Amino acid sequence: MKSTKPTSSSADTRLSDSLNQVLADSYALMAVTHLAHWNVEGPNFFALHTAFQTQYEELFAAIDEIAERVRARGAYALGGLGNLAAVARMKEFSAPLPQEEYVRLLLTANEKLLAEHGSATNRGPGIQHPTNLAALH
């Protein structure tokens, strides 16, 4: 993944690339969370269906904030399903699965995203700026 900001320093490019990585992984997490929302079944259906919906809606809002932060830095945000999927490091899964497996896989995916988030917050000068951190939270 390469930032397209023409006059950026290497630190700025690394930061924008890191934010785009978090963007791609967040989008992938949103997609598998939506998959779980659509396909969960079993005795805890309603609680899980509702929880998954809340999470994918919150992820969508966070993704928008991250993309806007990339643009505010003068770089271009990744977009398009194929582009996002090519960059994402998130493992996908297929339905149907037992409800416990959806929960386990989504927990693992969320932990992976948090680890990537932690990696991104340690890259490049300016990442600790409140507006940059806000885009990652």
Side-chain angles (χ1 to χ4, degrees), residues 34-73:
H34 212 161
L35 174 77
H37 165 79
W38 288 330
N39 292 294
V40 69
E41 54 191 0
N44 295 318
F45 165 79
F46 187 75
L48 290 172
H49 184 78
T50 302
F52 295 155
Q53 180 174 351
T54 299
Q55 184 177 22
Y56 75 71
E57 288 173 347
E58 289 176 2
L59 280 164
F60 187 83
I63 289 163
D64 190 57
E65 291 292 324
I66 295 166
E68 289 175 1
R69 175 62 14 214
V70 172
R71 289 298 299 135
R73 298 189 55 72

Side-chain angles (χ1 to χ4, degrees), residues 21-134:
Q21 183 65 58
V22 173
L23 176 70
D25 288 338
S26 297
Y27 209 95
L29 177 58
M30 181 187 70
V32 294
T33 304
H34 212 161
L35 174 77
H37 165 79
W38 288 330
N39 292 294
V40 69
E41 54 191 0
N44 295 318
F45 165 79
F46 187 75
L48 290 172
H49 184 78
T50 302
F52 295 155
Q53 180 174 351
T54 299
Q55 184 177 22
Y56 75 71
E57 288 173 347
E58 289 176 2
L59 280 164
F60 187 83
I63 289 163
D64 190 57
E65 291 292 324
I66 295 166
E68 289 175 1
R69 175 62 14 214
V70 172
R71 289 298 299 135
R73 298 189 55 72
Y76 292 98
L78 287 175
L81 293 176
N83 294 328
L84 290 163
V87 172
R89 298 181 201 154
M90 192 69 54
K91 184 176 180 180
E92 291 186 353
F93 53 82
S94 299
L97 294 170
Q99 61 182 226
E100 297 83 5
E101 189 67 2
Y102 285 125
V103 171
R104 185 187 70 74
L105 290 169
L106 288 173
L107 179 61
T108 299
N110 276 275
E111 289 170 344
K112 180 173 180 21
L113 182 61
L114 287 173
E116 181 63 36
H117 164 276
S119 176
T121 60
N122 292 321
R123 293 185 187 148
I127 190 61
Q128 298 300 328
H129 188 278
T131 57
N132 291 331
L133 290 174

